Amino acid sequence: MRKYWLVLAVSLICLAPAAAQAAQALKVAVFPFHVFSREPLNQLRTGVQEMIKSRLTAQGVVVIPTEDVNRAVAAEGKPLDLSLTRKLAGRLGADFAITGSLTKIGNRVSLDAKVLDVMGMQRPQSVFIEGAGLESLPGLAERISRELAVRVSGREKVASIQVKGNRRIEAEAIKSAIKSKEGGIFSPLLLDDDLRAVWKMGYFDDVKITSADGPSGKVVTILVKEKPTVREVQFTGNKEIEDKDLRDQIGLKRFAVFQPAAVKEAEQKILAAYRDKGYYDAKVTSQVITLPRGDIGLKFTIIEGQKVFVQTIRFRGNKAFSDGDLRGQMSIHEKGWLSWLRDDHILEMAKLEQDVQKLNDFYYNNGYMEARVGKPEITREADGLKVTINIKEGPRFKIGAISVSGQMVIPQKDTLGLLKTKAGQWYNRDLLRQDMATLQNLYAERGFAYATVRPQVRQDMKKKTVAINFDVVKGNKIYFDRIIITGNTRTRDKVIRRELAVAEGDLFSAAALRSANMRLNRLNYFDDIHITPGKGSRPDTMNININVKEKRTGQVSFGAGFSTQDSFMVMGQVSESNLFGTGDQLMLRATLGGKATRYTLSFTEPWLFDRPISAGVDIYDWEREYLQYTKEALGFRLRFGFPTPYAYTRTYLYYKLEQAEISNISSTASRLVREQLGTHTTSSVKGILRRDSRDHTFLTTRGSDNNFSVEWAGSPLGGSNAFIKAIASTGWYFPLFWGTVFVAHGEMGWMTGHSGGELPIYEKFFLGGINTLRGYSYQSVSPRDSNGDLIGGERMAVVNLEYRFPLVKKAGIIGVIFYDTGNSWTADEGYDFGNLRKSVGAGVRWMSPMGPLRLEYGYVLDPQPGDDTSNWEFTIGSLF
């Protein structure tokens, strides 16, 4: 018995060191790699070292920090050989050392590594791998690290990973989801994690992972059973919504994994789509069909029913405001006689939720700071839907006192003067937010980018007043550090920088950043622009990160148009608005029509000599048939544009040299027109001052467009024509209620001939047509000679008043009611404002896919002999 106890004790003593070593994880020191290359690649000595170190760590190997290894190598000061490497690794407490070399010959790259046992109990083990190009280096490091991990740990490696049972999901996609890798260390615990990872992919009904011994390591097999896929999605009974739109709505795509919950969700999405179109009684059922090979087909049967509209909107609890006042705040309205135009009587849940928020805001902005608007109750009744909204108004509060505290940058009195919130007003949350933004901008414009404004609101329930104090903490002044531009692969940095109006070292300015964003958007070179602040090199600096997503700036377009003035026209254009990434613009366009033909070649340099001065040249050949003659013009024009210190305002300077041929004069034309037969040359300069703040060039809703130009032709510039022409125009756009807009436009013209040349008739003022006096025929309003023939005027005035209102808001179709008045007079008559022609009318406008469309009917209020009493005017297409 004692013999057995003695044997057991001796065995435990002998096995103790091995057990201790097994319990303690082995440590590895990775040394810098030697680099053999004709290229200067010394940075890869530590680069490869760090790659292998990080990859070994990811595989569970304990690696000595590279900083400690490199510090020990530097302290020794000798070239590394195998003996010195073992010695240094031992000092660092490592069990194994890894050293090696990188060799690059031509495009071939190889890694040669050795595993050294510090104790010298094992012979060095070598691992070799190669690939093509330095870009393959991370992949090579990954592969060699797996082999090194196996050699260091002494454990089995994964020889191969096989995937079985997959038909649709690729094997590589499954392998990329697991941690076990071919050539890596085999771990049963890791396989358990891999099983969960494959299951979480969501594509399988069953997953099994097994392992077996192979000639060179473990063979891991992943056996999967894929979930069925949706092969077909069908719809029946749908007339109001097309199949394609329903597929987009439900999100169920062909070959997607079948999930029963997604089918039920699709039913609800279809119902929501129909309810948003007014089909509140729609019903949807689904059917799952099993197809060959186990795939799934889905069939949705739809009963649309009849359209149901919002018949009544009622409110409960409102005392301060009537039902009509509250309905006026909503985008959804009751069905009425204008509903077919506004399309606003259909119940859309998203819009109804927005309306609830609008009603809350309405109360908050009228003093009811404790008001609550409840969730709408929707009831289906015989004649439509009834929407009931519960409201708890609460007391109404006035502003008792306004103050500003904290760190001031201007006197408090002046600061208070900037605020819209005033004592004695009803509490208005919207004004409160605007005042916060005003104060933040006040500080931001003085360089305090991180200024904070905290409103402190104190209620007095007895007096029903509220005192507001804006507490301001300005922080430090911030300066722009670096401006970092990314995403521009084609557009040059200077093209972006010159639009910024800020530079490194400038004091922070929020207005400058807003202006930069607007100017970059107006370039139309980018699909997306993000200007974000970043941490600077010092606490008082800020980097500006500008990330852009470029879009194609070259265009080839063709189109067609028609107008009552120009007849049918075919148009084509080839343009590049960012030539070679410099911002230069080149354009060739042509218009071929029944009454006009135009060819134009244009080049524009928007920043001449890197200054904000635009320069350009146009070469053109135009031919047009007028009522009494045909004019063909060949010429060119030089253009210059100059900035001004005023917002939205620029000045322009033009020089034009044109040779015009007048031919095909009508036999009934006046003597003045017949005298124009032949060739005329115009050499002129023209100056323009323009301020344009419109929000849109066609469907404008606010802003103004003001223009004044003067043109001088003739001596001393040469040419056969000699005249002076001045035109002033102004247009103002005022947004009104319900998305309507009032427009007031006026234009006056003055011209005269001067010695040494002719005053050509085609430069005189003729009115009538869709762009001047609607209802009158094109160019039919003009002074007449003694024979009653049109001779054109040297004076002109036009006023156009319009009221624009939405017809089909979603489609962007608007209606127009207008009043036009104006006339053209000779120089002897002067401006005879007692003799103005007048017309009224209405029309429709639409930004159609083919370009702007205008259809307008004008009725002449004061027809004269020979005048039409009314006219339809129509244009469509980008007529230029």
Side-chain angles (χ1 to χ4, degrees):
M1 190 70 177
R2 291 179 181 175
K3 184 169 106 175
Y4 293 117
W5 279 108
L6 181 60
V7 171
L8 179 60
V10 172
S11 300
L12 289 173
I13 293 171
C14 294
L15 290 174
Q21 186 178 10
Q24 183 179 3
L26 297 175
K27 294 182 180 180
V28 177
V30 181
F31 285 79
F33 271 47
H34 299 288
V35 177
F36 302 103
S37 172
R38 293 184 177 181
E39 303 173 36
L41 301 176
N42 285 336
Q43 74 277 8
L44 293 180
R45 292 187 73 249
T46 55
V48 174
Q49 176 194 21
E50 188 60 40
M51 287 184 193
I52 293 176
K53 181 257 182 185
S54 63
R55 284 158 175 78
L56 287 174
T57 302
Q59 295 181 68
V61 178
V62 178
V63 184
I64 303 294
T66 51
E67 302 83 27
D68 296 346
V69 174
N70 295 340
R71 193 180 300 112
V73 172
E76 193 68 27
K78 298 179 182 178
L80 285 176
D81 55 19
L82 298 184
S83 176
L84 181 58
T85 301
R86 279 198 185 96
K87 178 181 176 183
L88 293 178
R91 288 180 186 172
L92 294 168
D95 301 290
F96 291 93
I98 294 177
T99 186
S101 63
L102 178 149
T103 304
K104 185 176 186 299
I105 301 176
N107 196 43
R108 301 302 299 172
V109 176
S110 63
L111 288 178
D112 190 348
K114 285 185 170 57
V115 179
L116 306 178
D117 179 5
V118 172
M119 299 299 294
M121 303 295 291
Q122 302 177 23
R123 297 180 60 185
Q125 303 178 65
S126 298
V127 182
F128 176 79
I129 196 166
E130 65 177 350
L134 288 176
E135 61 273 13
S136 67
L137 195 53
L140 297 178
E142 176 71 30
R143 290 162 57 191
I144 203 170
S145 296
R146 293 178 197 162
E147 186 64 33
L148 291 171
V150 172
R151 302 292 178 91
V152 167
S153 66
R155 292 157 63 185
E156 290 185 281
K157 73 175 182 179
V158 178
S160 66
I161 299 175
Q162 301 176 3
V163 179
K164 296 182 179 181
N166 57 312
R167 293 187 297 117
R168 181 172 51 88
I169 309 301
E170 294 183 359
E172 290 304 317
I174 298 173
K175 290 181 180 180
S176 65
I178 64 177
K179 295 180 181 179
S180 297
K181 303 295 179 184
E182 293 180 348
I185 298 173
F186 173 77
S187 169
L189 294 177
L190 208 56
L191 292 185
D192 191 49
D193 292 339
D194 293 341
L195 179 68
R196 293 187 178 88
V198 176
W199 182 262
K200 286 182 180 179
M201 294 176 72
Y203 300 134
F204 310 108
D205 278 335
D206 192 22
V207 180
K208 294 179 180 178
I209 299 182
T210 61
S211 63
D213 293 329
S216 56
K218 290 288 188 178
V219 177
V220 175
T221 302
I222 304 174
L223 181 63
V224 297
K225 180 183 178 182
E226 292 183 349
K227 291 182 177 180
T229 58
V230 177
R231 286 277 175 174
E232 297 178 3
V233 180
Q234 301 176 4
F235 303 93
T236 61
N238 54 308
K239 297 177 182 178
E240 181 64 24
I241 306 179
E242 296 181 357
D243 288 7
K244 178 182 179 299
D245 295 333
L246 287 174
R247 288 192 181 95
D248 292 341
Q249 187 77 24
I250 65 178
L252 284 175
K253 307 294 185 182
R254 290 186 63 196
F255 308 113
V257 173
F258 171 69
Q259 295 177 333
V263 178
K264 292 299 180 184
E265 185 179 344
E267 291 181 6
Q268 296 304 313
K269 289 180 178 179
I270 294 172
L271 281 175
Y274 271 96
R275 288 186 174 183
D276 281 347
K277 287 184 170 290
Y279 292 87
Y280 209 78
D281 295 333
K283 293 180 174 59
V284 180
T285 57
S286 60
Q287 182 181 358
V288 179
I289 304 169
T290 303
L291 301 175
R293 299 181 62 188
D295 290 326
I296 294 298
L298 298 176
K299 182 178 180 180
F300 293 93
T301 301
I302 301 167
I303 301 175
E304 295 181 334
Q306 299 297 317
K307 268 195 173 184
V308 181
F309 303 108
V310 176
Q311 200 67 33
T312 57
I313 300 176
R314 295 289 180 266
F315 300 90
R316 292 198 199 107
N318 55 309
K319 298 177 181 178
F321 302 102
S322 68
D323 285 12
D325 292 335
L326 297 179
R327 288 192 202 102
Q329 305 301 316
M330 300 176 65
S331 58
I332 294 177
H333 295 91
E334 297 175 342
K335 184 180 180 183
W337 67 277
L338 284 178
S339 295
W340 65 278
L341 286 175
R342 297 197 306 247
D343 197 28
D344 57 4
H345 57 307
I346 296 173
L347 182 62
E348 296 184 37
M349 296 308 297
K351 281 189 176 181
L352 187 58
E353 291 174 4
Q354 293 173 4
D355 284 343
V356 169
Q357 186 58 50
K358 289 178 182 178
L359 291 169
N360 269 307
D361 292 342
F362 178 69
Y363 271 98
Y364 295 156
N365 295 335
N366 283 278
Y368 295 90
M369 59 190 304
E370 294 186 350
R372 299 293 181 267
V373 179
K375 184 178 180 180
E377 300 171 4
I378 302 169
T379 308
R380 175 70 166 93
E381 299 189 346
D383 57 349
L385 298 174
K386 179 181 179 181
V387 178
T388 304
I389 301 176
N390 294 304
I391 296 175
K392 181 182 178 182
E393 292 181 335
R396 195 178 192 186
F397 291 84
K398 277 190 175 181
I399 303 297
I402 297 289
S403 60
V404 179
S405 62
Q407 301 167 307
M408 310 301 294
V409 292
I410 62 174
Q412 187 179 61
K413 180 180 178 182
D414 296 337
T415 304
L416 288 172
L418 299 174
L419 305 180
K420 293 183 178 180
T421 304
K422 305 293 182 183
Q425 293 178 344
W426 294 112
Y427 173 82
N428 188 313
R429 188 174 65 177
D430 188 46
L431 288 184
L432 186 66
R433 290 170 175 169
Q434 292 180 38
D435 288 339
M436 290 176 62
T438 298
L439 291 175
Q440 286 173 334
N441 287 334
L442 172 69
Y443 282 75
E445 290 311 307
R446 286 161 174 76
F448 299 100
Y450 301 121
T452 58
V453 180
R454 300 184 181 92
Q456 298 167 343
V457 180
R458 297 190 305 276
Q459 290 180 337
D460 187 328
M461 297 302 294
K462 292 182 179 180
K463 296 180 179 180
K464 299 297 186 291
T465 60
V466 57
I468 299 176
N469 175 64
F470 295 96
D471 183 55
V472 183
V473 179
K474 67 181 182 181
N476 295 323
K477 276 194 174 184
I478 303 297
Y479 296 85
F480 291 124
D481 193 356
R482 295 179 58 208
I483 298 176
I484 303 168
I485 301 172
T486 57
N488 54 317
T489 58
R490 182 168 179 266
T491 305
R492 300 181 186 180
D493 274 13
K494 78 169 187 177
V495 174
I496 298 175
R497 285 181 180 274
R498 68 193 185 191
E499 300 292 338
L500 302 183
V502 297
E504 286 91 343
D506 287 354
L507 187 65
F508 173 85
S509 169
L513 292 183
R514 290 193 298 270
S515 174
N517 189 70
M518 180 188 72
R519 290 163 65 93
L520 289 175
N521 273 296
R522 291 179 64 176
L523 288 177
N524 203 27
Y525 299 163
F526 312 109
D527 277 328
D528 202 9
I529 301 168
H530 288 289
I531 301 180
T532 56
K535 187 177 181 181
S537 58
R538 301 190 311 273
D540 63 342
T541 62
M542 171 193 294
N543 288 339
I544 299 300
N545 301 304
I546 302 175
N547 180 258
V548 298
K549 181 181 179 183
E550 292 181 313
K551 67 179 180 181
R552 294 183 179 180
T553 52
Q555 291 185 344
V556 178
S557 59
F558 297 92
F562 179 85
S563 74
T564 49
Q565 297 178 9
D566 296 313
S567 186
F568 181 75
M569 308 187 82
V570 177
M571 298 158 286
Q573 177 174 300
V574 180
S575 65
E576 173 55 69
S577 59
N578 189 14
L579 191 65
F580 307 123
T582 63
D584 294 344
Q585 302 160 15
L586 183 65
M587 177 174 59
L588 173 63
R589 59 186 179 186
T591 305
L592 308 176
K595 294 184 179 180
T597 303
R598 300 180 180 182
Y599 301 96
T600 305
L601 176 65
S602 300
F603 174 79
T604 302
E605 166 57 79
W607 282 69
L608 187 64
F609 308 125
D610 288 328
R611 299 179 64 84
I613 300 172
S614 62
V617 60
D618 306 314
I619 303 173
Y620 59 88
D621 184 357
W622 295 353
E623 182 178 345
R624 180 180 177 82
E625 294 181 13
Y626 291 89
L627 291 175
Q628 297 177 322
Y629 61 91
T630 298
K631 175 191 173 186
E632 183 177 0
L634 178 65
F636 80 93
R637 180 174 60 178
L638 294 176
R639 298 176 276 109
F640 298 92
F642 304 89
T644 71
Y646 306 103
Y648 312 113
T649 305
R650 285 181 70 86
T651 59
Y652 301 89
L653 181 64
Y654 294 81
Y655 172 74
K656 179 175 73 174
L657 179 61
E658 176 186 280
Q659 180 174 291
E661 185 75 23
I662 304 299
S663 60
N664 298 329
I665 297 178
S666 171
S667 59
T668 60
S670 67
R671 178 184 58 80
L672 180 62
V673 175
R674 291 196 299 271
E675 290 175 353
Q676 302 290 312
L677 181 67
T679 302
H680 305 262
T681 304
T682 300
S683 178
S684 69
V685 292
K686 183 178 183 179
I688 300 175
L689 176 64
R690 184 176 188 183
R691 184 185 188 277
D692 185 359
S693 62
R694 295 174 296 169
D695 61 347
H696 196 282
T697 56
F698 182 64
L699 301 177
T700 313
T701 61
R702 63 179 68 246
S704 66
D705 185 11
N706 304 279
N707 192 315
F708 178 72
S709 67
V710 178
E711 183 176 8
W712 176 288
S715 178
L717 301 174
S720 61
N721 296 332
F723 60 87
I724 306 170
K725 181 188 285 189
I727 298 176
S729 68
T730 182
W732 294 82
Y733 302 82
F734 304 95
L736 303 176
F737 47 86
W738 298 337
T740 62
V741 180
F742 176 72
V743 182
H745 171 264
E747 186 170 339
M748 292 186 68
W750 177 95
M751 74 175 306
T752 184
H754 63 84
S755 61
E758 305 171 353
L759 176 55
I761 191 171
Y762 55 79
E763 292 289 353
K764 292 188 176 184
F765 299 116
F766 292 83
L767 303 182
I770 197 167
N771 293 315
T772 54
L773 295 177
R774 288 159 284 192
Y776 296 89
S777 299
Y778 177 59
Q779 290 198 343
S780 65
V781 177
S782 154
R784 298 174 183 264
D785 61 12
S786 57
N787 296 321
D789 296 320
L790 302 172
I791 59 174
E794 292 87 33
R795 307 290 184 267
M796 173 271 293
V798 175
V799 173
N800 311 106
L801 302 178
E802 293 184 352
Y803 178 67
R804 301 178 183 177
F805 51 92
L807 287 177
V808 184
K809 198 167 185 179
K810 289 183 178 179
I813 300 175
I814 65 171
V816 178
I817 299 173
F818 64 81
Y819 170 79
D820 294 342
T821 183
N823 209 340
S824 171
W825 305 275
T826 63
D828 294 335
E829 293 173 322
Y831 293 99
D832 184 4
F833 294 113
N835 179 23
L836 295 175
R837 311 303 301 277
K838 308 174 188 66
S839 66
V840 295
V844 175
R845 295 182 185 177
W846 176 38
M847 182 59 79
S848 74
M850 291 184 62
L853 177 149
R854 293 175 62 183
L855 174 62
E856 296 171 14
Y857 173 79
Y859 178 77
V860 178
L861 296 177
D862 56 348
Q864 296 181 1
D867 284 345
D868 294 332
T869 58
S870 63
N871 263 304
W872 282 97
E873 303 282 359
F874 178 70
T875 65
I876 185 171
S878 302
L879 303 179
F880 41 76

